Amino acid sequence: MNPIDELRAARPADLGDRPIDPRTRAAELSRAMSRPRPARRRRRPARHVWSLGLAGAAAAVTAVAVVVATNGTASTARGPDTPASTRQAVTLSAREVLLAAAARAERQPEGKGEYWHTVSVRRTLFAAAKGGYRVLDQRRDEGWTPGATGPDQRQWGRMRSLGARPATEEDRQAWERAGSPTSIEVTVPRKPKPMILKTSPGRAMTGRSPLTDGDKVFWLGRNVSVKDLRELPRDPDQLKKRLLSWKGRDNDVPMQGDGWLFVISAGLIMDMPVTPEVRGAAFRMLAELGDVRVIENVTDAEGRTGTAVAINEPTFDGGVTEHRLIIDEAAGQALASEYVAVKPRGLQAGFEPGTMWNSIAVIKAGWTDDKPE
């Protein structure tokens, strides 16, 4: 499925077929690019934060965030006062890292509230259409998902563009040679015209939308409700079985088995309202998957250091991307999800292997009684 088809499939059914203005279309395309996700089908809800952009409430907000970095392979952890001659590398397996995170996650307090509240910052890399430089565009997403369901329930979303900027010092110099434009045309694969990114932050846009089918707000292989998430099994084997049973036959996902479970579980771990025990079970389930590797001492786009577990994922256009889930082992919490080009194709075309072209950093995820202002 190509990005345009994905956008059509992700469009909420209640919007009908009325035309979309060009700015909204650009925002939707950016949203689709900002996170490699399995193919969407009609009436499958976007994750709660995205629904606002698809409904057009934030049509004027440029919708993607970008991060570029070197490949993020990190050195072994060591104490600052340890003599160089006595330092020893200690490398944990992905299984050990995930089991340690599971033990911590299960002991986290659950919290209470009327809404599941999330805050994240997403970043995506773009190439300028002219001038030979790359830019980072950042967007802050905030969502409020009701714990209760019913025909009158609404989910809230807020988005704010944090502005685009040259990705590196070399890019900055090229940007300055191009006249330091405050509106930057960027290349979007399969889009006939460039998209415009602004260097200045935008205004926060807040909106709300109904729950799909009265209660569905998340996607885990199929549309699921908060109740579905709260009732997920606490046993890793049973959780794996349940998630695999939700993998519909209509998913145009170029991955199977362990790769698919990694993608789905990463979203569950990062910011879905599951119980601490289920989050721990998800970590334990990932610990038993094959082809998962560990990358130590990774710094996410927010400057936080954690340990990444990673797996290679095929893309829809024949490429390969490395999907990293960065976790804080001590807290048993996910910090960020990142994507690194391995075999650049399509959305990654033109980037060197090892380029981090997309990331989503979780700032907050928990229950609250506070509603959007």
Side-chain angles (χ1 to χ4, degrees):
M1 179 178 286
N2 63 43
I4 298 302
D5 290 336
E6 183 182 11
L7 292 174
R8 292 193 187 103
R11 182 174 173 79
D14 59 290
L15 292 184
D17 295 321
R18 62 178 180 270
I20 307 175
D21 67 72
R23 291 182 301 179
T24 302
R25 192 173 300 281
E28 290 182 348
L29 179 58
S30 300
R31 198 278 307 159
M33 289 181 59
S34 68
R35 187 174 192 177
R37 301 290 293 175
R40 287 179 165 74
R41 292 291 181 183
R42 188 175 181 273
R43 291 191 64 76
R44 180 172 120 192
R47 294 178 58 123
H48 49 291
V49 173
W50 298 345
S51 62
L52 174 62
L54 294 173
V61 178
T62 302
V64 177
V66 171
V67 118
V68 70
T70 55
N71 68 23
T73 300
S75 59
T76 304
R78 61 193 186 195
D81 300 323
T82 305
S85 59
T86 61
R87 290 171 185 158
Q88 296 181 349
V90 177
T91 302
L92 298 177
S93 68
R95 186 175 188 277
E96 291 170 324
V97 169
L98 288 163
L99 290 179
R104 297 287 186 177
E106 292 165 342
R107 295 197 292 269
Q108 290 294 320
E110 184 170 2
K112 297 180 180 179
E114 185 178 355
Y115 292 93
W116 179 253
H117 180 220
T118 61
V119 180
S120 63
V121 176
R122 59 182 66 213
R123 298 170 169 89
T124 308
L125 178 63
F126 288 100
K130 300 177 181 179
Y133 59 92
R134 300 173 300 179
V135 290
L136 304 174
D137 189 50
Q138 302 181 112
R139 188 185 84 194
R140 178 185 169 96
D141 287 333
E142 196 165 3
W144 291 262
T145 299
T149 60
D152 297 328
Q153 290 290 351
R154 295 291 186 270
Q155 57 183 344
W156 294 79
R158 177 178 295 156
M159 294 191 295
R160 185 188 181 213
S161 169
L162 301 181
R165 63 179 178 81
T168 66
E169 180 57 33
E170 182 179 356
D171 291 318
R172 178 174 297 281
Q173 293 174 9
W175 173 71
E176 290 175 348
R177 289 194 296 270
S180 303
T182 57
S183 296
I184 304 172
E185 290 188 350
V186 297
T187 301
V188 180
R190 300 192 185 98
K191 191 174 186 294
K193 296 182 179 180
M195 185 170 65
I196 306 299
L197 299 180
K198 302 289 187 180
T199 58
S200 58
R203 183 169 61 92
M205 307 290 289
T206 304
R208 65 177 185 171
S209 61
L211 310 185
T212 299
D213 297 331
D215 64 349
K216 305 299 191 298
V217 289
F218 294 94
W219 186 83
L220 277 178
R222 72 173 191 182
N223 295 341
V224 297
S225 65
V226 171
K227 182 175 182 292
D228 291 328
L229 294 174
R230 304 294 292 173
E231 294 177 351
L232 283 171
R234 302 179 180 185
D235 176 79
D237 293 335
Q238 291 300 315
L239 177 61
K240 179 178 180 179
K241 183 177 180 180
R242 177 75 58 84
L243 294 178
L244 287 175
S245 74
W246 286 354
K247 186 179 188 298
R249 289 178 295 178
D250 63 346
N251 294 314
D252 295 330
V253 186
M255 65 184 71
Q256 301 294 328
D258 288 357
W260 189 84
L261 281 170
F262 187 94
V263 172
I264 297 301
S265 300
L268 184 154
I269 288 170
M270 282 183 64
D271 58 4
M272 291 192 186
V274 297
T275 65
E277 293 82 5
V278 169
R279 186 166 286 107
F283 277 122
R284 294 183 189 280
M285 183 188 70
L286 289 181
E288 301 305 320
L289 299 184
D291 300 324
V292 179
R293 56 191 174 277
V294 65
I295 307 172
E296 295 184 321
N297 298 338
V298 177
T299 301
D300 73 3
E302 295 293 311
R304 302 169 299 184
T305 301
T307 301
V309 289
I311 194 169
N312 282 2
E313 299 175 6
T315 63
F316 294 102
D317 35 45
V320 178
T321 189
E322 180 185 66
H323 183 181
R324 298 177 177 177
L325 178 64
I326 303 177
I327 58 179
D328 179 346
E329 294 174 71
Q333 296 176 338
L335 299 176
S337 181
E338 299 182 342
Y339 297 87
V340 177
V342 175
K343 182 181 177 183
R345 294 287 190 278
L347 302 180
Q348 308 171 50
F351 300 150
E352 293 293 325
T355 300
M356 189 179 301
W357 63 281
N358 179 269
S359 76
I360 301 174
V362 177
I363 310 302
K364 182 185 298 184
W367 292 101
T368 182
D369 287 320
D370 296 333
K371 297 181 180 179
E373 297 179 358

